[in-house]
Amino acid sequence: MSVISYFLVVYEHEKPETRKAGFIYIVMTHIGTGFILLSFLILAGGSGGFGFEGFRASGPTMLPLFKDLAFLFALIGFGAKAGIVPLHIWLPYAHPAAPSNVSALMSGVMIKTAIYMFIRVFFDFLGAGVLWWGFLVLAAGALSAILGILYALVEPDIKRMLAFSSIENIGIILLGLGASMIFYANGSPALSAIAAIAALYHLFNHSVFKGLLFMGAGSIIFSTHTQNLEKLGGLIKKMPLMAILFLIGVLSISALPPFSGFVSEWLTFQSLLLSFSSGDSLVRIVLPASAAVLALTGALAAFCFLKAFGIGFLALSRSEHAEHAKDANRPMLLGMGIFAVLSILLGILPVYVIPFLDRITGTFTGTSIGQSISSGFPGTITMPAGQISMSAPSLFVFMLVFLSIPLMVQLMKGKKHGAVYETWGCGQPVSTARNEYTGTAFSKPVQIWFKNLYRPARELRAAYSVSPLIKQSFKFESRIGQVFENYLYIPVTGYILSKSRMIKFIQTGSIHAYLAYIFGTLVILFMFVIMGGK
Amino acid sequence: MIEYLLLAPVLTGIVCFFSKTRKQVETASMVGSTATLLLGLVLVWQVYKYDIIITWQNALFADAFSAFIVLIVSIVGFVASLYSIGYMGHELDHGAMDLKRLRLYYVLFHGFMFTMLLVGVTNNLGLWIAIEMTTLVSALLMILYSKKSSVEAAWKYMIICTVGITFALFGTILTYYGAVNILGETGDALNWTSLIAVADQFDPTIMKLAFIFILIGYGTKAGLAPMHTWLPDAHSEAPTPVSALLSGVLLNCAMYGIIRFYTIATKSTGVAFTSNLLIIFGLLSLGIAVPFILLQEDYKRMLAYSSVEHMGIIALGIGFGGVFGVFGAILHMFNHAMTKSLMFFGAGNVLLKHETKEIFNVSGLVKSMPVTGAMFVIGTLAITGSPPFSIFISEFTILAAGFSQGHYVATVLFLLFIIMIFAGFFNNVSKMAFGTPKQGIEKGDVGRLMLVAMGILIVFVVVLGVYIPPFFYEMIMKVVEIVR
Amino acid sequence: MFTLSSLGIVIFQVIIIVALAPLLSGMIKKIKAFFQIRKGPSIFQPYYDIAKLMRKDSVVSENVSWIFHAAPLISFAAILTAGLLIPIYISDMPLGFAGDLIAVVYLLALARFFTALASLDAGSSFGGMGGSREMFVASMVEPALMLSIFAIALNVGSTNLSFISQAVSSMGLAAVSPYHILAFVALFIIAIAETGRIPVDNPATHLELTMIHEAMILEYSGKQLAIVELTAMMKQLLVFSLLANIFFPWGIASEINAAGIALALVVFIIKIVILGAGMALVETSTAKWRLFRLPDLLSVSLMLSFLAIVSFIIVRGV
Amino acid sequence: MEEIVFGSNIMQLLIALILVSTFMILGSTRLYSCVRAFGIQSFLLACVAGIVAFSTGKIDIYIVAFLTLAIKAALIPYIFIYIIREIKVKREIDLYVNISPSLIIGGILVVISYYLIRSINLITELSSFALSASMSLVSIGLFIMISRKKAIMQMLGILIMENGLFLGAISLTYGMPLLVELGIFFDVLIGVLIMGILIFRINKTFETIDTDMLKTLIG
């Protein structure tokens, strides 16, 4: 899978950065495969069989140390494939490099295969009985969610932003999964089933709306030939249909009520909140904390996608590319349309989806709680305890009803709009696109809030015309430091390369040195034998 | 039956020597190598039926393992001769080669084939003589181009290998001495068959000493770690079809020698001693290959270092032992021979077109030479052990063996080195294969014949990755019996 | 379940929300004026403003899309739906099944999302600045809000609002334990941020540096401005009723009879007036904080709610 | 039976002389003297083989002795002289390790190999002397190759190692079966021939046969 997708990523290999992206991608996934191989070997070590049944059989019989090792290797291996934080660096490179329909596929489906294998290994083979595993997965999920969205927020390039937001959503899925593992280890399979349903539901939603967003980004790039958010703007007037579909995607990813994101996020919240009925006090503190992290991520996600849609689509277009953009052609719209309708349906009618998911979670958590969840009023999801319930369809109906009131008020008297005049600019003569808010400015507050994470670096170069006094033009450039990359990956690769430069010295070219090597090995081996080597 | 097999290359050599025009030489060499291939297959079929053939008052002998080596030699030899017609033809047209040298090349080429086949089929000490002759013939082949670097490479190759082989001779003498005490003065104290039957009664200390000398001796020829220094120079300076033969097949013959003595030595010295040695040498070769591949500028040298790496993997496989380990190692020999020669042919094509060995000034291969570029990238994926290809299967079996035999540290190191080598290899190849071609390199691939040769090898590399034919599987299992 | 009476209750609830909202903001302005020793406009001024705006024509910027017109409608609808879920005068809301605390939070988020989107639509730097600051504050508020809700939910065992208010009221005075107060203070700080009161945002000014909420609705005029103002007031009312009916739910009518409801209404008005006074007190006594000191303020509320959870566990000794 | 044959002090004398000849090569600075010493060494080796053949009465050892004499004592030195004269190379050998330290190292190598063989303690007293002599011959040969710069000296080093091995073979097992001995001689001869060709080619391309120039292939 990773090998073939590598070729897809390197499709337009003229550009050097695509090659760099492809290279990082294939090496990271290869490291992932290496770890997965190790964990499978440990799993197979017991029964020797490489089939899933072999793993399932050897799971319980292994001694605890091996079990933990197998778990850790599997986590790192699949983490590299899914893009969990410490191993995520390939995602923001690979997705923008690949053509957009490929990256839609990659973040929609490929990352999910890693999650599938997560569940298969943790629940099916190793029996997920250990508590600290759950906490580790939870921590990894929280970390990926927060860092993913923080980097997405300050990213001017649309596709890189979507790639980072995939990391964030993977984090949310892992939160759900971690909670379900904790409950399973604590011996309350019903709660773990709910948490697992939440995780799977979000997984499914994410594939839908991320696919929609990537296709949207693709059609933007197709018509405006630029991925940079700062150069877009006013697209809603040029590409009205596509704008609506993109808006639906944005609304569902920011988890706003009538759309699909809300339902899965609500379920994840409830599963994190169910901790109050579990005995262990540590669980009752950690889970609400991770719920707070989830809330922060949700808010930041809304912020980030508001920026993407607002800056990208509204007001005046900032470059002539955006000016001449024309609407996406029929097949593109059709594709996006299907996903948009799907994400609305998923948002409004969760009750039909949940029994389907419940059958899946039933297999590995051992209990099916389908009926108890969708018992009450048709269309509502009720939690087993405390009458907590949420009925998405009724929320949607209320929204529609209450929408009509102000609409009638507006239509009631007088014409719809009065005069059309320029935007209020404190009396400035002409309002051009230049005094619009840009993407970086929009996310500036968060950048200042988390400045020691971002380590922003900015550069202002002035070009002088005639004399050093009269400045002709300014060039402003700001960069966000990738913490993980600069402080983890570059030092490690640097160390390996310097060590290998040292070792390269042994190939000196002089034949005498080579003969000396042979003589040396002979003497060493001799000593080895004389000492009675075993 | 074995005599005909040996006779075929000698005859072709002689015919090539006397043929005048280029057309004659090429046809003679083509006919000769197809004959060798067919005879090789017939031998393999016979061994498959009667298990062991001994002729010529047991100086020549062939069991499953030697049949396996003969198979590798004949296949790669055939493809190499196919390739060298195109390659040498191209060199001739570009004036890098005159007719006299061309004839000399073909004579030596078939001589080289003869010596390698001899290695496969001779009895105990004949192995030493055969390997010695391979060194001599290949040294001559290297100085075909009278470039400074190829002469230097040939000299280093000659000296280091001869020193290595002298040690191997001392090892053989020691084994002979051990055998004579038990078997008495009879002539056959040197043949594998009689030795293995009696192997467990040898005196362990002698056998330990003998195994050390053999390991260093044939290890130099096989390019195991501390003695590998000649390999990058020799394989990068020799003409491409020869370097394909050298790293694809010759290293396997040397490994064949080590494994033969390994079977004898383990019976008396106990498995621990010999397999630990093999594992140490295997890991050392893997380790040493990593830095050189990571920071390599010359792509042929990179391929040479990857041969060191793969020989290390085979040594590891044998060292891990168990059915899995040995099966993986033997399969790896075959896979490596196929993939490595494919890669060298690709490198040859690139060399012909770009006339430079620097990775830096080669780019946009996929654009300028589409077919070679594609095959080169597939070869890289295969050589570094990515899943769908054959090398992944053998490496995975060796890994599994490592785990089940309990050598955890060695397996983890093995995996780590492979990943690093993958990164280095892919970094260099992606620089060459992708991007825009350098100016002055017009589109269009090199000779058609060469692509046919590479095509045959690609079939082996891809098919074996997915499905191992039962006939082939049985043969390897027979070899595994012999080795264990 | 869907009897006539529950329909009656729902409609009555809607009427109350729409009617009381301007009254509440008028009262807060009055109390603020009282503290600043000035007469201040009458408490019914907001009603007059809305009526005036209804009659005025609206001026719309030229580079505006349909979102600008849709935003006030959607946010109005979202706030009103949230209103239905919060028990104001009757404890078991007929439509309580439709959503719980988290649904309310997300409905508020939906309203905020569309207002911010509209602010960007006009293309002026005011709108952009307002939108960015609003979302910045929101992303700090939401985790604290979620945690304080969890503090209450942990105590009662469910996030359903009517269930909580019934449980807390049935516990009587015993409910006022340390974590209860901690959660209340945390929620009070969040209420300030949510309704855009002084330390976080200054509702009464048009100075671009200090206004967050005002900046977003700068472009609106005429009827749309009226709807937006009304939505803001309703949101304020809902947040206050959330504060009142979750922490001090006594006096809420438990069954449907005229006397009970009337009493509940009076008690409810008294409670939100007291809260409004508290808010006005805070407004007059503190100056507006710099934007980048807000994270400290809101992390205080985050810690308070986290302490509430931890103390709940320690007190419960489980 | 070995004791009687090896008991005779002639054999001990011959092996001692072989060791002396190796030290002569170690100590010499001129090419011709090295080649001459090598000739003497091979001659002595042939005598040892002759005595062994005489005592065991096996015909093929006689042939082997004669072959050593013919090839190693006569033909190979002639080839060396031909090469030296042909290449008109300057006579003396330039060395990495000059004479006195290399002699000392030679001595140490002999002691080590003696100690190694004794610690294996598997063969009777005298033939272990022959085996340790062969071991020291091999190690000194290798040392010569490492310490001398001239390409010809490296060729000579190999041949000294070859002689050491031959001595070891004779002392351990009275020579291998005839066919194998023939193969070894044949190989050695061709080896020398090819090395000669190589040296000519090096001389043509590098204009010197000093291996210091052969350092271009690095890394």
Side-chain angles (χ1 to χ4, degrees):
Chain A
M1 178 181 75
S2 48
V3 167
I4 293 129
S5 55
Y6 164 71
F7 287 112
L8 283 173
V9 167
V10 189
Y11 180 63
E12 311 126 354
H13 56 70
E14 292 72 24
K15 301 197 280 294
E17 74 276 4
T18 333
R19 287 207 300 280
K20 178 170 183 293
F23 173 62
I24 292 176
Y25 169 64
I26 192 118
V27 168
M28 284 303 285
T29 32
H30 211 79
I31 292 171
T33 347
F35 277 104
I36 296 168
L37 268 180
L38 269 179
S39 81
F40 278 173
L41 281 173
I42 296 176
L43 277 171
S47 65
F50 270 91
F52 280 172
E53 315 72 34
F55 291 164
R56 206 163 290 130
S58 69
T61 57
M62 273 197 300
L63 25 91
L65 168 71
F66 276 118
K67 234 179 185 186
D68 295 346
L69 268 181
F71 161 71
L72 276 177
F73 287 141
L75 182 64
I76 298 166
F78 294 123
K81 284 248 178 327
I84 300 183
V85 164
L87 308 153
H88 67 289
I89 57 159
W90 60 273
L91 232 146
Y93 285 108
H95 281 225
S100 13
N101 37 28
V102 168
S103 35
L105 203 65
M106 270 167 74
S107 62
V109 177
M110 199 184 80
I111 298 179
K112 306 302 180 300
T113 48
I115 305 284
Y116 158 70
M117 276 313 287
F118 263 156
I119 298 169
R120 178 69 74 187
V121 169
F122 297 153
F123 283 94
D124 223 353
F125 303 152
L126 299 175
V130 184
L131 194 56
W132 67 267
W133 289 1
F135 282 123
L136 187 64
V137 171
L138 204 73
L143 200 64
S144 325
I146 275 289
L147 284 176
I149 198 59
L150 280 176
Y151 281 114
L153 203 55
V154 285
E155 190 49 59
D157 179 326
I158 300 179
K159 286 176 81 176
R160 264 175 79 95
M161 177 190 75
L162 289 174
F164 276 121
S165 101
S166 301
I167 299 174
E168 176 234 339
N169 284 298
I170 289 289
I172 295 170
I173 295 169
L174 279 179
L175 276 178
L177 209 58
S180 114
M181 280 169 67
I182 291 171
F183 290 136
Y184 193 79
N186 261 352
S188 43
L191 300 185
S192 99
I194 296 169
I197 287 179
L200 289 184
Y201 200 101
H202 192 73
L203 185 134
F204 189 60
N205 285 348
H206 177 251
S207 328
V208 170
F209 54 65
K210 187 46 64 68
L212 174 61
L213 289 174
F214 259 113
M215 280 195 265
S219 50
I220 293 173
I221 295 160
F222 176 72
S223 53
T224 61
H225 313 298
T226 163
Q227 294 186 352
N228 190 346
L229 208 56
E230 314 300 16
K231 290 202 175 51
L232 300 177
L235 291 181
I236 198 162
K237 298 176 188 57
K238 308 289 183 302
M239 311 163 79
L241 269 178
M242 206 278 289
I244 297 167
L245 299 177
F246 199 81
L247 180 62
I248 293 170
V250 159
L251 287 171
S252 36
I253 198 166
S254 345
L256 294 176
F259 293 94
S260 63
F262 170 64
V263 175
S264 58
E265 203 129 319
W266 187 81
L267 272 172
T268 327
F269 264 118
Q270 285 304 335
S271 55
L272 288 175
L273 222 143
L274 287 173
S275 58
F276 50 68
S277 55
S278 85
D280 179 346
S281 66
L282 184 64
V283 166
R284 291 156 68 101
I285 294 175
V286 164
L287 282 181
S290 53
V293 165
L294 183 61
L296 179 62
T297 338
L300 288 174
F303 193 168
C304 160
F305 281 94
L306 180 86
K307 179 192 88 166
F309 188 78
I311 304 293
F313 282 83
L314 301 180
L316 297 170
S317 41
R318 293 180 181 75
S319 69
E320 76 297 343
H321 282 300
E323 197 64 40
H324 315 305
K326 48 195 174 335
D327 207 340
N329 48 37
R330 197 124 317 280
M332 278 200 213
L333 285 177
L334 190 64
M336 290 172 71
I338 295 163
F339 268 157
V341 165
L342 205 58
S343 72
I344 295 173
L345 286 178
L346 278 170
I348 296 170
L349 307 166
V351 176
Y352 299 104
V353 179
I354 287 183
F356 170 69
L357 289 178
D358 173 55
R359 265 202 303 284
I360 305 169
T361 53
T363 52
F364 57 83
T365 53
T367 60
S368 80
I369 39 114
Q371 333 73 353
S372 76
I373 271 207
S374 50
S375 59
F377 192 74
T380 63
I381 317 169
T382 45
M383 285 297 146
Q387 311 167 334
I388 310 164
S389 74
M390 190 273 290
S391 127
S394 42
L395 279 182
F396 187 66
V397 162
F398 292 155
M399 289 273 288
L400 286 183
V401 163
F402 292 130
L403 207 65
S404 56
I405 300 171
L407 200 63
M408 277 190 304
V409 161
Q410 262 192 341
L411 302 174
M412 196 171 53
K413 280 203 293 206
K415 44 194 176 335
K416 203 159 181 322
H417 312 301
V420 173
Y421 196 65
E422 299 156 33
T423 325
W424 166 252
C426 293
Q428 270 176 351
V430 160
S431 80
T432 62
R434 283 191 57 74
N435 55 19
E436 264 175 2
Y437 235 54
T438 62
T440 6
F442 198 76
S443 55
K444 196 69 183 165
V446 173
Q447 195 175 333
I448 293 168
W449 185 15
F450 284 94
K451 63 178 168 311
N452 38 30
L453 169 72
Y454 287 125
R455 299 231 184 307
R458 80 167 68 142
E459 216 185 301
L460 189 64
R461 282 195 299 279
Y464 299 95
S465 58
V466 174
S467 77
L469 298 173
I470 308 149
K471 293 190 181 54
Q472 194 193 4
S473 69
F474 283 93
K475 172 118 183 29
F476 171 79
E477 199 216 328
S478 81
R479 267 184 318 285
I480 304 292
Q482 289 289 357
V483 173
F484 272 95
E485 236 172 75
N486 309 354
Y487 295 101
L488 177 64
Y489 285 87
I490 293 177
V492 163
T493 33
Y495 175 75
I496 294 174
L497 290 181
S498 63
K499 276 289 159 295
S500 43
R501 229 166 259 110
M502 272 213 300
I503 299 172
K504 254 172 96 82
F505 183 69
I506 62 166
Q507 188 79 9
T508 51
S510 99
I511 190 161
H512 311 283
Y514 298 160
L515 292 170
Y517 295 152
I518 298 178
F519 192 62
T521 23
L522 189 69
V523 168
I524 293 163
L525 281 179
F526 242 63
M527 292 308 148
F528 185 63
V529 169
I530 302 301
M531 296 323 166
K534 61 167 170 37
Chain B
M1 184 37 219
I2 306 176
E3 305 81 15
Y4 306 124
L5 178 67
L6 292 177
L7 222 58
V10 169
L11 275 176
T12 21
I14 295 158
V15 166
C16 289
F17 185 72
F18 291 111
S19 53
K20 288 291 167 284
T21 67
R22 168 181 168 195
K23 187 59 51 214
Q24 274 177 343
V25 173
E26 278 167 3
T27 36
S29 128
M30 247 341 276
V31 163
S33 46
T34 18
T36 336
L37 179 65
L38 292 177
L39 286 168
L41 290 176
V42 162
L43 177 76
V44 166
W45 177 249
Q46 273 192 341
V47 165
Y48 179 65
K49 273 225 293 299
Y50 312 114
D51 257 350
I52 290 194
I53 311 165
I54 299 183
T55 55
W56 240 30
Q57 79 288 20
N58 61 39
L60 299 176
F61 113 112
D63 68 354
F65 198 5
S66 52
F68 187 70
I69 294 292
V70 162
L71 183 70
I72 296 179
V73 172
S74 40
I75 292 176
V76 179
F78 170 73
V79 177
S81 70
L82 196 68
Y83 182 81
S84 47
I85 292 171
Y87 188 84
M88 287 308 163
H90 191 282
E91 292 282 75
L92 201 65
D93 312 339
H94 286 66
M97 180 80 74
D98 51 28
L99 191 58
K100 190 173 77 56
R101 275 238 192 86
L102 188 73
R103 278 212 336 275
L104 188 62
Y105 166 77
Y106 278 111
V107 170
L108 288 173
F109 181 87
H110 285 282
F112 193 26
M113 284 287 291
F114 166 73
T115 49
M116 281 197 283
L117 287 171
L118 190 63
V119 164
V121 285
T122 58
N123 225 322
N124 186 343
L125 206 114
L127 178 81
W128 181 82
I129 299 165
I131 291 193
E132 170 76 18
M133 281 191 339
T134 52
T135 327
L136 307 180
V137 173
S138 49
L140 283 178
L141 265 169
M142 257 184 241
I143 49 171
L144 219 52
Y145 296 107
S146 52
K147 290 209 299 292
K148 260 196 175 159
S149 54
S150 53
V151 168
E152 176 190 336
W155 176 256
K156 283 187 189 155
Y157 172 64
M158 189 70 191
I159 292 295
I160 297 176
C161 286
T162 334
V163 163
I165 289 173
T166 5
F167 285 131
L169 179 60
F170 195 63
T172 331
I173 292 167
L174 278 172
T175 8
Y176 178 70
Y177 169 71
V180 159
N181 296 3
I182 308 208
L183 284 172
E185 276 297 331
T186 60
D188 67 359
L190 275 171
N191 311 353
W192 302 121
T193 42
S194 44
L195 274 174
I196 293 171
V198 154
D200 37 24
Q201 298 143 13
F202 286 165
D203 166 352
T205 34
I206 296 183
M207 284 320 287
K208 274 190 190 157
L209 258 177
F211 187 68
I212 286 178
F213 276 105
I214 293 286
L215 192 58
I216 291 189
Y218 291 135
T220 329
K221 270 308 279 176
L224 288 179
M227 304 84 79
H228 71 290
T229 41
W230 59 272
L231 202 135
D233 307 341
H235 287 203
S236 63
E237 293 315 323
T240 323
V242 173
S243 48
L245 268 179
L246 271 175
S247 61
V249 182
L250 186 59
L251 300 183
N252 285 344
C253 300
M255 218 43 169
Y256 166 78
I258 294 179
I259 297 172
R260 276 289 186 213
F261 273 94
Y262 172 80
T263 42
I264 298 167
T266 36
K267 293 232 169 24
S268 51
T269 60
V271 182
F273 175 72
T274 46
S275 55
N276 281 350
L277 266 180
L278 273 176
I279 291 176
I280 292 163
F281 272 94
L283 278 179
L284 215 58
S285 344
L286 260 167
I288 288 215
V290 168
F292 288 96
I293 290 183
L294 276 177
L295 295 163
Q296 194 46 264
E297 289 88 26
D298 171 339
Y299 52 81
K300 274 186 106 175
R301 287 181 79 88
M302 183 170 71
L303 290 177
Y305 277 113
S306 115
S307 308
V308 173
E309 169 220 344
H310 283 284
M311 281 306 133
I313 292 173
I314 294 174
L316 258 178
I318 301 289
F320 286 149
V323 176
F324 265 118
V326 175
F327 180 85
I330 306 290
L331 187 63
H332 198 74
M333 267 181 166
F334 188 83
N335 296 346
H336 172 245
M338 295 302 144
T339 339
K340 185 48 59 62
S341 18
L342 172 72
M343 290 300 286
F344 264 111
F345 290 159
N349 288 3
V350 171
L351 188 63
L352 284 186
K353 201 140 209 345
H354 293 76
E355 271 97 25
T356 157
K357 289 215 196 96
E358 293 297 321
I359 293 178
F360 181 69
N361 0 351
V362 169
S363 75
L365 262 187
V366 176
K367 279 237 168 21
S368 59
M369 306 160 75
V371 179
T372 326
M375 284 204 219
F376 199 69
V377 168
I378 292 171
T380 326
L381 279 176
I383 205 85
T384 45
S386 341
F389 297 104
S390 55
I391 291 222
F392 172 72
I393 306 282
S394 40
E395 269 169 15
F396 187 68
T397 9
I398 295 174
L399 256 169
F403 248 86
S404 53
Q405 303 293 330
H407 302 278
Y408 297 118
V409 173
T411 336
V412 170
L413 268 176
F414 173 33
L415 208 62
L416 190 70
F417 289 142
I418 289 186
I419 291 174
M420 283 213 270
I421 285 173
F422 174 85
F425 218 100
F426 223 85
N427 185 10
N428 294 334
V429 168
S430 63
K431 279 202 204 103
M432 283 166 68
F434 300 117
T436 49
K438 299 280 184 214
Q439 349 70 353
I441 309 280
E442 73 290 341
K443 202 163 171 17
D445 231 313
V446 195
R448 217 179 7 74
L449 213 55
M450 298 196 234
L451 297 181
V452 164
M454 287 170 79
I456 299 168
L457 288 173
I458 281 261
V459 164
F460 277 105
V461 166
V462 174
V463 162
L464 270 180
V466 177
Y467 158 74
I468 300 182
F471 158 75
F472 194 66
Y473 182 80
E474 253 160 60
M475 207 164 103
I476 298 182
M477 284 319 278
K478 277 210 185 103
V479 173
V480 168
E481 258 72 43
I482 296 169
V483 171
R484 272 170 47 86
Chain C
M1 175 46 186
F2 225 67
T3 59
L4 196 61
S5 64
S6 62
L7 195 66
I9 292 169
V10 163
I11 295 163
F12 188 45
Q13 173 114 351
V14 166
I15 294 161
I16 283 178
I17 292 173
V18 174
L20 270 181
L23 184 68
L24 176 66
S25 80
M27 268 189 231
I28 292 176
K29 282 204 184 73
K30 191 74 177 173
I31 300 163
K32 230 170 78 171
F34 171 74
F35 283 131
Q36 291 163 1
I37 320 161
R38 57 178 170 81
K39 196 162 181 314
S42 88
I43 52 173
F44 303 107
Q45 186 53 32
Y47 290 104
Y48 304 142
D49 293 346
I50 291 175
K52 174 195 75 183
L53 284 174
M54 277 301 178
R55 284 195 305 279
K56 278 217 180 304
D57 271 353
S58 67
V59 173
V60 175
S61 142
E62 74 228 356
N63 42 31
V64 146
S65 65
W66 57 269
I67 288 182
F68 184 81
H69 304 292
L73 312 179
I74 295 173
S75 48
F76 181 87
I79 298 295
L80 211 53
T81 335
L84 282 187
L85 306 175
I86 300 171
I88 292 183
Y89 61 92
I90 190 153
S91 60
D92 60 343
M93 283 302 302
L95 294 177
F97 69 87
D100 64 345
L101 260 175
I102 301 169
V104 165
V105 166
Y106 271 92
L107 281 169
L108 294 181
L110 178 67
R112 189 186 307 123
F113 188 88
F114 267 93
T115 343
L117 210 57
S119 74
L120 279 170
D121 205 1
S124 79
S125 40
F126 300 111
M129 186 187 289
S132 131
R133 293 195 169 166
E134 175 68 17
M135 291 312 282
F136 175 59
V137 165
S139 54
M140 290 187 288
V141 155
E142 216 158 288
L145 188 60
M146 212 48 94
L147 264 188
S148 52
I149 293 171
F150 278 171
I152 313 155
L154 274 184
N155 166 20
V156 161
S158 140
T159 53
N160 190 319
L161 288 164
S162 22
F163 185 87
I164 294 174
S165 61
Q166 274 160 4
V168 172
S169 60
S170 62
M171 272 200 279
L173 272 174
V176 185
S177 56
Y179 58 82
H180 200 77
I181 295 161
L182 280 176
F184 175 72
V185 168
L187 207 56
F188 189 77
I189 297 171
I190 294 158
I192 296 171
E194 192 64 37
T195 50
R197 285 283 154 213
I198 271 298
V200 172
D201 162 22
N202 185 346
T205 158
H206 274 274
L207 185 62
E208 59 274 14
L209 285 182
T210 56
M211 57 172 181
I212 298 177
H213 181 66
E214 294 309 318
M216 288 202 292
I217 51 173
L218 206 60
E219 281 305 313
Y220 282 106
S221 54
K223 277 196 264 301
Q224 287 171 330
L225 182 57
I227 295 168
V228 165
E229 289 291 339
L230 189 60
T231 326
M233 292 173 202
M234 283 197 314
K235 183 165 134 181
Q236 186 181 10
L237 177 76
L238 288 188
V239 170
F240 277 19
S241 58
L242 199 66
L243 267 170
N245 291 349
I246 299 295
F247 288 92
F248 318 101
W250 306 290
I252 267 193
S254 53
E255 63 292 324
I256 314 148
N257 57 27
I261 291 172
L263 176 68
L265 265 182
V266 167
V267 164
F268 174 71
I269 291 168
I270 295 163
K271 271 191 258 174
I272 52 171
V273 161
I274 296 163
L275 277 174
M279 197 66 85
L281 188 69
V282 165
E283 275 212 275
T284 40
S285 56
T286 59
K288 180 180 183 315
W289 285 20
R290 261 186 328 103
L291 184 66
F292 293 111
R293 280 198 52 216
L294 286 184
D296 317 335
L297 174 70
L298 288 154
S299 48
V300 160
S301 90
L302 190 73
M303 275 312 123
L304 282 177
S305 36
F306 195 70
L307 271 176
I309 294 175
V310 170
S311 62
F312 167 73
I313 290 163
I314 295 158
V315 161
R316 267 295 175 80
V318 86
Chain D
M1 187 260 287
E2 290 107 349
E3 291 75 23
I4 310 147
V5 166
F6 278 95
S8 65
N9 41 33
I10 317 154
M11 186 63 85
Q12 271 187 336
L13 179 67
L14 283 173
I15 295 171
L17 278 175
I18 290 176
L19 270 179
V20 163
S21 63
T22 0
F23 275 92
M24 270 163 62
I25 299 173
L26 257 179
S28 70
T29 53
R30 313 195 70 71
L31 270 178
Y32 272 113
S33 57
C34 289
V35 171
R36 220 177 297 110
F38 172 74
I40 298 162
Q41 189 184 44
S42 320
F43 171 73
L44 290 171
L45 211 58
C47 307
V48 163
I51 294 169
V52 164
F54 168 72
S55 59
T56 55
K58 277 204 246 143
I59 321 105
D60 49 14
I61 301 180
Y62 273 111
I63 304 165
V64 163
F66 171 71
L67 268 174
T68 343
L69 195 66
I71 296 178
K72 285 199 178 157
L75 188 59
I76 292 180
Y78 171 71
I79 296 172
F80 265 107
I81 293 160
Y82 170 75
I83 293 171
I84 296 166
R85 210 179 319 101
E86 201 54 42
I87 299 176
K88 294 182 280 319
V89 81
K90 54 187 196 351
R91 294 291 180 281
E92 69 286 340
I93 336 155
D94 28 32
L95 350 103
Y96 276 119
V97 182
N98 25 33
I99 297 301
S100 45
S102 50
L103 278 173
I104 295 161
I105 292 170
I108 296 165
L109 286 175
V110 169
V111 164
I112 291 174
S113 40
Y114 177 73
Y115 167 73
L116 283 178
I117 299 298
R118 202 167 53 71
S119 70
I120 296 168
N121 57 41
L122 49 84
I123 327 156
T124 57
E125 181 49 40
L126 190 104
S127 67
S128 78
F129 173 61
L131 193 58
S132 64
S134 76
M135 270 298 289
S136 46
L137 227 67
V138 165
S139 36
I140 290 173
L142 191 59
F143 171 69
I144 286 173
M145 285 170 69
I146 293 173
S147 61
R148 295 316 188 243
K149 282 198 183 127
K150 273 273 188 301
I152 291 186
M153 283 312 290
Q154 288 181 347
M155 229 165 94
L156 201 68
I158 288 182
L159 288 168
I160 293 164
M161 282 169 71
E162 202 65 46
N163 283 358
L165 282 180
F166 183 76
L167 178 65
I170 293 290
S171 66
L172 263 178
T173 59
Y174 307 115
M176 315 271 229
L178 183 62
L179 178 72
V180 173
E181 286 295 340
L182 282 176
I184 294 175
F185 275 109
F186 182 63
D187 264 346
V188 164
L189 190 62
I190 298 179
V192 168
L193 283 175
I194 290 178
M195 281 195 225
I197 298 167
L198 272 174
I199 287 182
F200 276 114
R201 183 58 64 82
I202 291 174
N203 191 25
K204 195 148 66 62
T205 41
F206 286 92
E207 286 87 29
T208 153
I209 56 164
D210 178 350
T211 50
D212 256 355
M213 304 305 292
L214 298 164
K215 276 220 176 77
T216 50
L217 291 167
I218 299 171

